[in-house]
Each structure stands twice: as C-alpha cells, then as structure tokens.
Amino acid sequence: MTLFKRIYFYLVLILLSNAAFGQQVPQGIGRTYIGLNDLWTFSKDQQTWDKISLPHTWNANDVMDDASGYYRGVGVYKRVLTINPSLKGKTLSLCFDGVNQEAEVYVNGQLAGKHVGGYTKFIVPISELLNTTAGFKNELTVKVNNRYNEDIPPLTADFTFFGGIYRKVALLATNSVHFFTGDYGSDGLYISTPSVSAEKASVRVRSMLSNTASLNRKLQLKTTLYDPKGKMVSSRLMPVNLKGAVNETIHQDLEVVNLPELWSPSSPALYSVVCSIIDPKSKSVIDEISSTIGFRWFKFDAAQGFFLNGQPLKLMGSSRHQDYKGLGNAVPQALQIKDVELLKAMGGNFLRVAHYPQDPVILETCDRLGILASVEIPIVNEITENATFTENCKNMQLEMIRQNFNHPSVIMWAYMNEVLLRPRFGGEKERQELYFSHIRELAQTLENLTRKEDSSRYTMMALHGDFERYHGVGLTKIPMVIGWNLYQGWYGGELSGFGEFLDKHRRELPDKPLLITEFGADADPRIRSFNPIRFDKSVEYAMKFSQVYLNEMLKRPFVSGGMVWNLADFSSESREETMPHINNKGLLTLGRKPKDTWYLYQAYLLDQPFIKIASRNWDKRTGIADSLRAFCTQPVQITTNLPLVELFLNGKSLGVKKSIDHICEWDVPFVNGSNQLRASNPQQPFLSDQADIDFNLLPNSFAVGDTFKTLHILLGAKRYFIDDEHQILWIPDQSYRKGSWGYIGGEAFKGGNSRITYGSDKNIQNTDLDPIYQTQQVGIKAYKIDVPNGNYELDLYFAELLGGAFKESLAYNLDNQVVKERREQQRVFDLNINGVKFLENFNIAQMHGYATAVHQTIKIEVRENQGIVLDFIPLQGKPILNALSVRKIN
C-alpha cells in the first residue's frame, strides 16, 4: 500500500504539471484538470487585442507612473477551447483561482456565470453551453472589471486593486457523479479533527456528492487516512444511494488514531485523506479527491498567550501582500511559495494572510512548512450600509472558510481591518452613530456566521490604535481575539507609547486575547542616516523601531504574538513619499531583497546561532574624512543572537562587543577604496559573516593639487541617499567651513505637514529620484565650494515643495491627527555664480509647476583660487536650493 501511495502521488504531480502547461490530461481517477493559462488575448477597448498568458494584470505598469490614479475599469479576455472527444459526456466547469474583482464568463456568447470579489476561487459550469463536436472552436470570453463599486469590499485601502485574471484557470472534467463543485468554490470535502491529544485523535469527514444525471445510482464512498510516510492508517467503505439530479452530504467518522504525529512549526506532520466514489459493480473509481490534514490542538489565553499542543508558543511572523516587482499581483506560484519559505527562514511561525485570501499555494506551503496562519476578507477602512454589501461580505466569508477549511495551518478567520479608520459622517453625530451601529451589526453577523461555519477555530478583527473609539462602538466585544495595528513612534506618538498601549488593553480588556497584527516603520533601502528620526524613511530608524516593538511584545506573556507589517514592500498607488506608490515597511524589498531589518528579525527569532553584518546592503558608501586623516569613521551594525561578536576591518580586529537587543555596533574607520568587514563569535570563530564595502572618501578640506572628482549634496537633509541606477552617493549638507563647502544662511525645509520634521513626502514629478528633491535649504543666502582651480560641471536641483493641489500624502494616518500642509508662497529670486547671473527672476512654481523636478547645469572655470560661489538674491519670498552636484572635468 505504501508503494501504491507513492506511485499515486507521483501520478498526481505529473497531472498537475501537465495541466499547468495547458495539455490534455488523460483520465485516471475520475476527474481531469486541463490548464488554460496560455493562448489568451486581452483588450481594454475590444479593438486592439494583445496576446497574453495567465496570470495577468493590466495594472502592472500604470500604478508606478507619475500620473495620479490607475486604470480601473473593464478588461476582456478571450480564448478558443477545443474539446477533446474523450471528454464528451463529461460534466465540464471552468475553475478560476482569482479574478479581480467582478467577472462575467461567457461561452460562445452566452453568459455562463458571474462572480463578485477578487480574492477567492470560483467554479462556473459550462457543459450546457459547449459544442463538443470534434474540432469545434468554442469561444471563452471573460469580462473583468476592477472599478470602484460601493457594493463590493474593499472600498478603500492602503494597497493597489490590480485588475485582471491574475491567478490560474483550468477546465475541470468529471463524470456525472462527482464530488460537488458548487459549494462556494470548495472541492466538496471537509475534514475536521474534533478531538486531538498526544495519545489519540479523531477524524470526521464531510463529503458532498453530486449526481447531475437523472438516474439514481448505487455507489460506495471510500475514505482512507494515510500517515505522513504514506502508510494507510484506517479506511472506511460505506454504501451510498444517490438519487438523480441531487446533491447529498455524507458524514463519516474514521477510526481513532492512536499516538498521532502532531503538527507543529518544528514538526509539521501531514496526514492525507483520500475520498473515492466507487462503482460497486466494476470497482472503478468514478471520482476521487484528497486533502492533507494535521493533528494539533490550540488555545488563546488572555493572560498567558497562545498554546499549541499544550505548550506555550509566541506567534511571531509577518503579514503579506501578494504583489511583486514588475508583475503586480500576477505572480507565478513559485515566487509565492518562496515568500512563505522566506518567512520560515526568518524564524517566523505565523503568517497573517492580509488583507484578503491569497493564492491556494500560500496555505498549502504554510501547512508543509509549519507556519500558523490567519485569513481574512477585505473589509477595510469602511463599509457601505446596504443589503448588497452585506451579502457580498457574507459570501466572501463563506468562500474563504469553505475553500480553506482543511488547512491545519489556519487557526483564525478574520473579517474586518481598521474599519473605523476613516469614519463617515464626521460632524453629524447622530448619523455617524447610526453608521457605527451598522458596522457593529455587520461585524456581529459575520461573527455569528463564522462561528456557525467553523467552531474549531478562533475569530479575529484587526483594529487600529484608537482604543476608545473601537471600545465605545462595541467592536472589541465581538471577536474572540483582538488584533491591534499599532504604530506609536511612526504615524504619531512616541515609541514608549507602544508598551503603554499593550498594558492598557490588559487592564481594560482582561478577558480578551490580543495579537499585534501590524507594526512597522518605512525603510527605503536607498536612505541611510546616522541621526535617524521618525518618518525620515531611513533603514536605521526602522531598526530602532523594530527593537522597541519586539522587546515589548516578547516580554509580555499576555501578548499572544506579533506580525510585522510587512514581509515585503508592496504597491500602494496612492502613496507618495520617498518611493512613490510603494509602502516601504517590508523587511524585504518589492523584489524580495533583504533589508537590514530582515537580519534583525532573524537575530530575534532564529533558534540556531546567527551573525549577520546588517549594514552589508550599504556596500557603496561615501563620507568626509575625519579631520586631516585618511579615513572616515561611520557606524556599522551587526545583528546576532549570540552574546559576543568581534569585528575585523581588513584583517585587523576592531574589538569584541556585547550585543544589546541583538545588535552590536562599531564606529568603523573606512579608508578610500575597498574595505573588508568580517564579524565572528570569539568562542566559535567559524560562526562568521563577511561583507565588502567600497568607500569613496571625500576630502575634509580642498587643497591645491587635490584628487577631488565629484561631490553630491542634499541640502536641508540629515540623511544619505543611494542612487543605485546611476551609481551616485548623496550626502547630507553642512554649514560652510573655510577650505571645504557648505551653505550660508537659511534653514532646512520643515516638512510639508505635521508628520515629518524636515523635508517633504510629496511625489516629485518627472523623476524617480524623489529624495534628491524632497529636502531643501529655505532662505539660503549663498553656497560656497572651495574647490581648487580647474574646470567643473555644476548641477543644481530645485523643486517647489509648497503649494499645488492638496493631497493627503498617506493613504493612512493612524494617529488620527489632522495633517495640515503649509500654504504656498510666492518665490522669485536671482542666482549669480561667481559673480555672473545664471538665473534671473526664477519662479519655480510658475515656470515648472509644484512638486516638479527642475535640473539646471552650468560649466565653470575656477581661477585664482576663487572656488565656486553661488549668491541667491531674493526678489519675492525666500530663495531655495534642494541639492547640488559638482564634478571636476579635467
């Protein structure tokens, strides 16, 4: 039997592999899957058609351009389907794993079915509409719409609503008797484990059978349980009399499993259940489906946290969005599987599948790797107060639960995220109270539905940090577990407020288990700072933020766990900031390159010894030499779960340091050119990490005959910026120092809103290098660069950061404070360079527009040691300069 089982799974893999390439799959076990992911054409206007393959989205590119908004409307897909003669007489259906967000499916011009909601599977019967004549070309047409529709969640959110058939499509062929495919997109097989302990476990199977023929059938239903090695554990065979044109649900209890192998993050043992519908006369299999299951039991305790299989377990991991660099949400399954593998490699044991159900391979991989999970439907920010919206929410919840019911990784179903973030009817107290009551009513409806559907798992809502509002509205009383999305020290408040909030929950909701379902700070991997502050987007601030949050959660037993927001950066088209259209809170970039924060989480969460030079990603550095010395001292961070680390620079020890909150930090004297760093544990030198840093040493002061080549300066900034595309390193400015360079007069631009302390977070038009233009010196009188005599090219960068159409620069403002932008000012000035007028009556806003990149270049010959002097003459308002570059030509 073990050998048979191995052969069986091998055949299934072959079938699935063939299906993925759209090949006809020979019938072997009663049903056939045929992949339909190639040979499609696509059009927005139904005049111009492009050849495409699935998965596909029409928003992969337009969400990243400077134009506000992206295409949200109709897209039409077409494909020819020729039916193999062997499938004649079969029951045929189209299986869509995900289409965003409204779909109409036509076969030969006739409507076959509709689906509402962009994140769950749906199955459309098409047998009656197909022409199965040999060689006949049936036309499949799928009309997709990702428009805003007030009846369909999500209504608004801090992520992009990509349109398209962005997951796989297949043709399913079954006999007239088969496992029912019409139950909210599920496969008609539901397996529960009502009782599990270390000594024994029970298995209950609910199978839904369908007979689309008119004749009654005498059948047998066989259900077999296999252990993780493929050995049969038990089997049950029972007769079934299935009437014609009916669906019937069969319940079976299998034999008790003694000493079961338990499923856990450290040992994710998966059993298999195979259900077969058998013809008792011929003994042939009419239809067969299978599912993996895991034996585990768990509970949340409001005082002591989470327990799995009787043992305490801190749930630590991340949330995840499904898009990927250059692909939008049309991501191959191999890359999606890799995401879960990366979470495991980080040391995580939990995935919040947010804010919507994702590709089926996500939970399949969680099952296989031992990652616990929650899944939710996309009711985000707000609701619509009508019956259609409510019914759509209920259908989404049912689809999510029934399609994912058998996954041992899933321990919670969720249904709302930050639903009071942007409450409607501000200023109309009575109307707003009614709106809140409708939210509460919808929440209770979904809670009741979920508990009825699945009493074995917990329910959860994720709430933003407005404790009083959620508690006052009554939402904290409804779910079994509260998830808090907290950002003290980021969107507002201080880092110390995070721990205070946790203790407040414990005092005021002592019987309610809690998770931290979101926390994080943006980390633009191109931005670095030795003086990190809130909202500067530096990697260094994100490191500090993460240390505080991880420490506070780990030391409180009542905090069941924490999910960093987010595993990877993700698309949010409405965002502006340093990297427009991207939420940079990921531990990985949109293309899945690790940031420093990724290594920090590994240091906190991994069990095996770990050392990593977190600053390794900053492998091209620049800085000003220390006084007259031939090096520049800059900090380097090492992340580790070991108590001691020794750091070497070019083979010379810089000493041993104790780790503090999983970080050791050295001030490293970088020399010009190549610098090799090696970090190791003194007791175990073989535990080490190495990084090579290329350093461009800038002179502390210029001298005759200096080898100076280039200088790139950000005015009004306290951060470094790495332009990888052009291999340019930008440094923060300094006040003028004789023999060197710097500004004279003025002050750093003090933020376009109340959230940031310097610079602007506006999307700068006509550039991808926004950080160059997002800071500036305001009221500058002069700029001096005491370069030696010679020929130079000077580049000046301007952008008017005040004025223009007001736009809330963040999709979210989780501190509930009003963000106010300073009003525009008239700004006109002249600029002289070395006494010669270069710009006259320069009005940036009038000439170029607001928040628009302006780049001016001039070549200069420096004589008689005069250096380069820029004089700003105000005519109206205060002159500005955002950045400058100077390059020696000869």
Side-chain angles (χ1 to χ4, degrees):
M1 182 61 70
T2 301
L3 179 60
F4 165 79
K5 187 63 178 174
R6 289 175 178 169
I7 295 173
Y8 168 79
F9 278 114
Y10 177 73
L11 290 173
V12 169
L13 287 173
I14 294 175
L15 296 177
L16 293 175
S17 176
N18 287 340
F21 290 95
Q23 299 173 6
Q24 295 284 352
V25 182
Q27 182 178 348
I29 52 173
R31 60 175 50 204
T32 303
Y33 282 100
I34 303 170
L36 300 180
N37 300 308
D38 56 356
L39 305 178
W40 289 87
T41 58
F42 168 77
S43 177
K44 292 178 184 176
D45 57 15
Q46 299 194 59
Q47 295 180 8
T48 303
W49 294 85
D50 297 321
K51 294 180 180 180
I52 60 102
S53 59
L54 304 180
H56 174 265
T57 176
W58 58 71
N59 295 124
N61 297 317
D62 66 347
V63 299
M64 294 302 295
D65 60 32
D66 270 341
S68 179
Y70 56 103
Y71 180 71
R72 297 191 65 181
V74 174
V76 179
Y77 296 82
K78 289 189 176 183
R79 189 191 196 278
V80 168
L81 178 61
T82 303
I83 301 301
N84 190 299
S86 65
L87 299 180
K88 191 170 184 178
K90 299 287 185 179
T91 299
L92 302 175
S93 302
L94 291 175
C95 302
F96 295 85
D97 280 356
V99 179
N100 199 35
Q101 68 178 350
E102 300 172 70
E104 297 177 0
V105 181
Y106 297 84
V107 177
N108 296 325
Q110 299 184 65
L111 181 65
K114 297 181 179 181
H115 185 258
V116 169
Y119 304 102
T120 44
K121 179 180 179 179
F122 62 98
I123 300 174
V124 179
I126 61 171
S127 298
E128 302 301 319
L129 303 178
L130 285 171
N131 186 328
T132 57
T133 303
F136 186 85
K137 296 181 178 179
N138 295 276
E139 184 180 71
L140 304 182
T141 303
V142 184
K143 182 180 178 181
V144 184
N145 199 330
N146 70 332
R147 62 175 176 159
Y148 173 86
N149 185 332
E150 67 174 7
D151 294 333
I152 305 173
L155 301 174
T156 60
D158 186 19
F159 58 92
T160 301
F161 304 154
F162 295 95
I165 306 178
Y166 70 97
R167 295 181 190 160
K168 294 194 307 181
V169 177
L171 177 69
L172 171 63
T174 66
N175 292 306
S176 57
V177 171
H178 56 271
F179 290 98
F180 185 49
T181 59
D183 192 35
Y184 293 92
S186 77
D187 60 7
L189 176 64
Y190 303 96
I191 308 165
S192 59
T193 53
S195 176
V196 179
S197 69
E199 292 74 31
K200 59 183 180 179
S202 61
V203 180
R204 182 167 296 163
V205 181
R206 177 163 57 97
S207 306
M208 301 183 72
L209 278 59
S210 179
N211 183 2
T212 57
S214 58
L215 297 177
N216 299 345
R217 293 288 300 271
K218 289 186 177 182
L219 306 163
Q220 291 177 328
L221 179 63
K222 182 180 180 181
T223 302
T224 306
L225 176 68
Y226 296 89
D227 72 12
K229 295 181 176 62
K231 181 180 179 181
M232 187 180 74
V233 176
S234 65
S235 186
R236 182 171 180 183
L237 184 68
M238 64 181 294
V240 175
N241 293 319
L242 190 60
K243 295 181 180 180
V246 300
N247 304 316
E248 184 173 342
T249 300
I250 308 295
H251 296 271
Q252 294 175 299
D253 286 315
L254 301 184
E255 293 179 17
V256 170
V257 179
N258 293 315
L259 299 176
E261 295 184 49
L262 299 180
W263 185 96
S264 70
S266 60
S267 181
L270 289 175
Y271 286 69
S272 299
V273 174
V274 179
C275 288
S276 307
I277 303 173
I278 298 172
D279 184 320
K281 292 183 178 179
S282 66
K283 305 300 180 183
S284 62
V285 175
I286 299 172
D287 196 12
E288 183 172 278
I289 54 177
S290 65
S291 177
T292 55
I293 65 167
F295 293 116
R296 78 283 186 270
W297 76 97
F298 55 89
K299 72 170 184 177
F300 284 90
D301 184 279
Q304 296 300 318
F306 179 75
F307 291 79
L308 178 67
N309 300 332
Q311 300 298 315
L313 179 68
K314 203 78 159 183
L315 299 174
M316 300 300 294
S318 75
S319 298
R320 175 190 185 265
H321 272 296
Q322 63 184 4
D323 54 308
Y324 199 95
K325 183 178 181 180
L327 300 174
N329 63 347
V331 181
Q333 289 186 331
L335 291 179
Q336 306 212 45
I337 291 169
K338 182 66 175 177
D339 274 0
V340 186
E341 293 174 342
L342 285 167
L343 176 60
K344 186 74 172 183
M346 186 185 81
N349 60 23
F350 192 92
L351 177 65
R352 179 188 176 206
V353 182
H355 292 299
Y356 40 79
Q358 298 179 11
D359 192 287
V361 299
I362 293 298
L363 290 179
E364 291 169 10
T365 309
C366 286
D367 292 344
R368 177 172 55 85
L369 296 182
I371 302 290
L372 293 150
S374 65
V375 195
E376 62 200 62
I377 61 171
I379 305 175
V380 182
N381 292 358
E382 56 189 329
I383 71 165
T384 301
E385 301 165 278
N386 66 35
T388 304
F389 185 88
T390 297
E391 286 304 308
N392 284 334
C393 292
K394 290 164 64 178
N395 285 335
M396 289 180 182
Q397 192 78 353
L398 287 170
E399 287 179 332
M400 174 182 70
I401 294 172
R402 296 193 184 182
Q403 291 175 25
N404 299 295
F405 188 87
N406 298 337
H407 290 288
S409 56
V410 177
I411 59 173
M412 282 186 293
W413 305 117
Y415 49 80
M416 282 182 177
N417 181 77
E418 298 173 354
V419 73
L420 300 183
L421 180 64
R422 293 288 176 87
R424 298 179 177 184
F425 309 108
E428 302 176 53
K429 185 176 180 181
E430 290 186 5
R431 182 63 183 90
Q432 190 173 76
E433 289 299 322
L434 179 61
Y435 174 69
F436 287 159
S437 72
H438 289 151
I439 291 177
R440 185 171 58 247
E441 180 182 342
L442 176 59
Q444 192 64 64
T445 296
L446 294 171
E447 179 74 16
N448 295 342
L449 179 152
T450 304
R451 294 197 191 195
K452 181 180 178 181
E453 277 290 309
D454 186 1
S455 61
S456 69
R457 292 179 171 99
Y458 285 78
T459 60
M460 183 182 73
M461 274 196 286
L463 318 176
H464 79 281
D466 193 341
F467 187 99
E468 304 303 335
R469 174 174 285 171
Y470 283 100
H471 197 47
V473 171
L475 293 184
T476 57
K477 302 174 183 178
I478 295 175
M480 302 165 76
V481 177
I482 291 292
W484 287 111
N485 300 347
L486 300 179
Y487 293 92
Q488 288 87 352
W490 184 248
Y491 291 112
E494 302 296 330
L495 285 169
S496 59
F498 175 63
E500 295 168 2
F501 188 99
L502 299 178
D503 295 334
K504 177 182 178 68
H505 174 106
R506 181 73 188 128
R507 286 193 309 270
E508 301 197 22
L509 296 172
D511 298 323
K512 186 71 67 173
L514 78 94
L515 285 165
I516 305 306
T517 38
E518 288 185 24
F519 67 95
D522 287 55
D524 184 333
R526 306 169 303 167
I527 290 178
R528 297 284 179 161
S529 178
F530 302 140
N531 300 289
I533 58 174
R534 181 172 74 96
F535 238 81
D536 66 0
K537 299 307 187 77
S538 70
V539 173
E540 285 71 22
Y541 186 81
M543 293 284 278
K544 176 182 176 181
F545 181 100
S546 297
Q547 284 178 297
V548 172
Y549 273 64
L550 288 167
N551 291 341
E552 296 297 329
M553 289 184 291
L554 291 172
K555 72 183 182 184
R556 288 173 169 83
F558 66 85
V559 178
S560 297
M563 285 82 248
V564 64
W565 188 260
N566 194 44
L567 178 66
D569 292 348
F570 59 92
S571 173
S572 180
E573 193 277 339
S574 61
R575 277 186 175 252
E576 299 199 345
E577 309 173 309
T578 60
M579 192 179 290
H581 319 303
I582 300 295
N583 186 316
N584 280 131
K585 291 186 183 66
L587 304 182
L588 308 164
T589 67
L590 188 58
R592 283 20 178 207
K593 181 180 179 180
K595 304 180 188 177
D596 297 24
T597 45
W598 164 263
Y599 303 124
L600 179 65
Y601 280 77
Q602 287 185 304
Y604 268 88
L605 301 180
L606 288 174
D607 292 329
Q608 64 268 32
F610 178 80
I611 294 177
K612 203 73 174 181
I613 300 172
S615 307
R616 65 187 300 104
N617 294 328
W618 193 3
D619 59 356
K620 291 180 177 59
R621 293 196 181 204
T622 188
I624 304 170
D626 297 357
S627 187
L628 299 177
R629 300 184 179 184
F631 60 80
C632 173
T633 302
Q634 291 186 353
V636 168
Q637 291 185 328
I638 313 298
T639 56
T640 185
N641 55 13
L642 300 172
L644 299 173
V645 175
E646 185 172 11
L647 183 66
F648 296 84
L649 174 64
N650 297 325
K652 181 180 179 181
S653 176
L654 299 182
V656 177
K657 292 204 173 185
K658 293 181 179 180
S659 65
I660 300 175
D661 296 333
H662 296 277
I663 287 181
C664 299
E665 185 171 306
W666 280 264
D667 289 326
V668 175
F670 288 104
V671 298
N672 194 52
S674 179
N675 295 260
Q676 185 180 86
L677 295 174
R678 184 171 65 86
S680 65
N681 178 252
Q683 284 78 36
Q684 305 174 77
F686 59 89
L687 294 173
S688 65
D689 186 40
Q690 183 174 306
D692 294 315
I693 310 299
D694 184 15
F695 200 94
N696 176 35
L697 187 67
L698 299 174
N700 187 276
S701 64
F702 297 109
V704 177
D706 202 307
T707 57
F708 165 77
K709 294 181 180 178
T710 61
L711 184 64
H712 308 282
I713 302 170
L714 301 175
L715 278 76
K718 300 177 183 179
R719 63 195 186 191
Y720 292 75
F721 173 63
I722 305 164
D723 174 6
D724 286 323
E725 181 181 355
H726 301 99
Q727 296 291 295
I728 295 176
L729 308 173
W730 294 81
I731 65 171
D733 200 8
Q734 61 182 12
S735 60
Y736 173 69
R737 179 166 47 81
K738 187 174 178 59
S740 183
W741 67 83
Y743 64 87
I744 299 173
E747 62 182 2
F749 180 77
K750 297 294 186 181
N753 57 53
S754 61
R755 184 182 297 110
I756 57 181
T757 55
Y758 72 87
S760 171
D761 55 8
K762 285 186 175 182
N763 178 7
I764 308 300
Q765 302 295 297
N766 300 333
T767 183
D768 291 328
L769 305 175
D770 295 71
I772 295 176
Y773 299 91
Q774 288 175 325
T775 60
Q776 63 185 201
Q777 193 76 3
V778 180
I780 185 171
K781 294 181 179 180
Y783 203 97
K784 297 187 70 175
I785 312 170
D786 294 342
V787 291
N789 294 337
N791 294 312
Y792 296 88
E793 184 174 81
L794 178 67
D795 293 273
L796 304 177
Y797 301 84
F798 303 91
E800 181 55 75
L801 301 179
L802 289 180
F806 173 74
K807 179 182 178 182
E808 166 62 78
S809 60
L810 281 182
Y812 281 8
N813 180 22
L814 296 183
D815 60 359
N816 289 319
Q817 296 177 3
V818 176
V819 177
K820 295 182 179 180
E821 182 173 63
R822 293 159 58 190
R823 292 183 178 180
E824 63 188 78
Q825 300 175 356
Q826 287 296 317
R827 193 190 313 280
V828 184
F829 59 92
D830 291 346
L831 173 59
N832 296 339
I833 300 178
N834 286 357
V836 178
K837 192 173 294 294
F838 177 61
L839 297 174
E840 185 174 7
N841 292 316
F842 190 45
N843 187 326
I844 302 170
Q846 185 180 81
M847 296 176 178
H848 302 279
Y850 297 98
T852 300
V854 180
H855 180 191
Q856 301 279 352
T857 301
I858 183 175
K859 292 183 178 179
I860 304 168
E861 182 182 2
V862 175
R863 300 177 180 177
E864 300 177 356
N865 300 319
Q866 64 179 337
I868 299 174
V869 181
L870 286 70
D871 290 307
F872 295 82
I873 300 99
L875 303 178
Q876 188 174 359
K878 298 179 179 181
I880 59 168
L881 179 62
N882 297 63
L884 66 83
S885 293
V886 59
R887 178 175 65 89
K888 192 169 185 179
I889 297 175
N890 60 355

